[in-house]
């Protein structure tokens, strides 16, 4: 008997799975909010130097019929004829108010940086962190630094929580992540300084990784193979729906502090109901905790209305059927195990490219909404809406074409669409937006696929470590993306070249990953390294397995053998004949 049959016995797609996936998906709405929050909380409104014109214009620089003209005497104009955002005249240039002036006077007038701060346009946002701490002009890079600090937190969280959840379980780390996100996010809303704000955003970024990683693992590990793609689509659409939640919240709440609080406070509720979650019995089994695995399986059986089937399970049944000796199970896996053996080394190398490039190009597009020249709310809605058809197409492709083709195709198409904007003139904003939106949709599909694909490629023993490592590379991409955008000051097309080339290269690397469509969800490193991972000829397709229609085939007959030199358990590895007998 395999774990798939045990799951079928207690209910593979019953009431428990529906409730479990639903409760795990709701927090994902707010993960999208936090990832893209600075599009609104760090929006840069129109601004100019605050100067002597304010006295004549009623103190705010916007009152009085002659205010706009009066500004010409105090603030120079930029190349577009608008008041300069970062410079002011050293002394008032009254001659510029003469309508018959030649314009030479302005070019010869001496200017200086803003002495008395800046005046901001409050017609769109009442307050942002940019207006709160004057992150403009020579301080404009601090805005990008705040996002990079947040992404650095997500990176550290991927490393820390990925490994800890393999050691201490998915549920415990998920509950802690909920609490940390609620506290850190709420504290960020009351930050007295920019430094404190960055510190709390860093902690919130760490928590975001813990929530994302463990939500995915708890949903996948309680789901039969035939439903894994559906679960992946549901969680993916939850993230997409979160973008609409963010737009609605940002449109209604124009003050950054209240918006920050509104997207963080719900995690207190998630923390409270998180105690209901059922720990992964698959994780308990692979760590040798068979008593707890039995308890969780029986709990699921009761919820699914199969209490009698659950009561038939016992420790003797589990040990006899799974042939897993708790005393020989090893849970001390590290990141080094991801590259210790040949097949895992190839998988990890290819996934590094995929995770990095998907996140790198995604945030390069998604965090640059103000440069499209349209309403920031409209652009965010469009970027969120494109996820719906993109992820639906990815779901169909994942189910029928396979994970490998879907992953490679989405990345290559994304790279080509981004690179196409290199050849589109700047004044053709609609066409440029179309290419960017299509590329963003392909990258969203790639994200949807890589979460599922990574969970299927790595065995249960190191699944969270692998997911955490992949997320680490993704966050490195998120940190680097704003830095590449700054290169546009030297060459406008350079960021597009880099954003486009990275997904294309990663798409090619994805072609070297093994296909997991209709394949078993493996449990040990030995299972991955078996040369006959692909089914031998003559063995029926896994969908046709008699023991279960979903065909999840987890070979757990043999005890894990440490792949390192000299490391072994003393148990023999199963031979090909054993595989046939266990089915």
């Amino acid at each position: 008997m395999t774990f798939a049959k045990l799951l079928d016995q207690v209910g593979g797609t019953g009431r428990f799975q529906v409730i479990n996936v639903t409760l795990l998906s709701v927090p994902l709405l707010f993960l999208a909010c936090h990832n893209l929050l600075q599009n609104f909380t760090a929006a840069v409104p129109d601004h100019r130097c605050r100067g002597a014109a304010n006295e004549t214009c009623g103190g705010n620089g916007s009152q009085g019929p002659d205010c706009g003209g009066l500004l010409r005497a105090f603030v120079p104009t930029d190349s577009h004829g608008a008041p300069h955002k970062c410079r002011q005249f050293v002394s008032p240039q009254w001659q510029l108010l003469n309508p018959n002036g030649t314009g030479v006077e302005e070019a010869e007038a001496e200017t200086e940086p803003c002495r008395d701060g800046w005046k901001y346009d409050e017609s769109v946002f009442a307050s942002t962190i940019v207006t709160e701490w004057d992150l403009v002009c020579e301080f404009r890079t601090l805005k990008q630094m705040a996002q990079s600090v947040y992404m650095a937190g997500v990176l550290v969280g991927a490393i820390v929580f990925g490994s800890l959840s393999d050691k201490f379980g998915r549920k415990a780390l998920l509950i802690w992540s909920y609490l940390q996100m609620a506290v850190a996010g709420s504290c960020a809303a009351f930050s007295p300084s920019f430094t404190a704000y960055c510190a709390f955003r860093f902690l919130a970024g760490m928590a975001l990784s813990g929530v994302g990683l463990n939500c995915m693992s708890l949903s996948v590990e309680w789901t039969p193979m035939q439903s894994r793609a559906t679960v992946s689509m549901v969680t993916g659409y939850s993230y997409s729906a979160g973008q609409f939640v963010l737009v609605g919240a940002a449109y209604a709440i124009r003050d950054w502090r209240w918006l920050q609080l509104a997207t963080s406070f719900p995690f207190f509720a998630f923390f409270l109901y998180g105690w209901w979650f059922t720990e992964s019995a698959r994780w308990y089994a692979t760590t040798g905790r068979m008593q707890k695995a039995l308890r969780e399986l029986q709990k699921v059986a009761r919820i699914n209305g199969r209490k009698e089937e659950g009561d038939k399970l016992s420790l003797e049944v589990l040990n006899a059927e799974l042939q897993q000796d708790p005393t020989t199970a090893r849970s001390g896996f590290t990141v080094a195990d991801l590259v210790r053996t040949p097949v895992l080394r190839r998988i990890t190398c290819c996934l590094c490219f995929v995770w990095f490039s998907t996140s790198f190009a995604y945030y390069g597009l998604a965090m640059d909404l103000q440069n499209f020249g349209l309403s920031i709310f409209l652009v965010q809605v469009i970027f969120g809406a494109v996820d719906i058809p993109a992820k639906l197409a990815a779901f169909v492709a994942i189910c029928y074409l396979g994970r490998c083709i879907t992953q490679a195709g989405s990345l290559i198409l994304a790279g080509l669409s981004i690179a196409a904007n290199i050849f589109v003139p700047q004044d053709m904003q609609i066409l440029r937006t179309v290419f960017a939106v299509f590329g963003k949709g392909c990258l969203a599909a790639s994200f949807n696929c890589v979460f599922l694909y990574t969970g299927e490629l790595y065995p249960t023993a190191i699944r969270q470590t692998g997911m955490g490592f992949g997320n680490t590379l993704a966050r490195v991409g998120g940190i680097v993306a704003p830095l590449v955008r700054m290169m546009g000051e030297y060459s406008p097309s350079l960021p597009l070249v880099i954003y486009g080339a990275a997904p294309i290269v990663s798409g090619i690397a994805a072609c070297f990953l093994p296909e997991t469509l209709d394949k078993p969800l493996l449990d040990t490193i030995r299972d991955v390294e078996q040369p006959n991972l692909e089914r031998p000829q003559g063995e029926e397709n896994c969908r046709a397995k008699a023991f279960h229609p979903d065909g999840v085939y987890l070979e757990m007959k043999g005890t894990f053998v440490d792949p390192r030199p000299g490391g072994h358990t003393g148990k023999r590895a199963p031979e090909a004949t054993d595989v046939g007998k266990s089915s």
Side-chain angles (χ1 to χ4, degrees), residues 340-362:
R340 197 176 300 279
T341 56
V343 177
L344 277 177
R345 190 157 43 242
R346 172 165 56 88
I347 290 173
T348 300
C349 182
C350 294
L351 286 177
C352 284
F353 281 98
V354 173
W355 277 100
F356 174 86
S357 296
T358 301
S359 178
F360 171 71
Y362 182 92

Side-chain angles (χ1 to χ4, degrees), residues 197-211:
Y197 170 80
C198 289
F200 288 124
R201 284 284 285 170
F202 178 88
L203 294 175
M206 286 186 63
L208 180 136
S209 281
V211 173

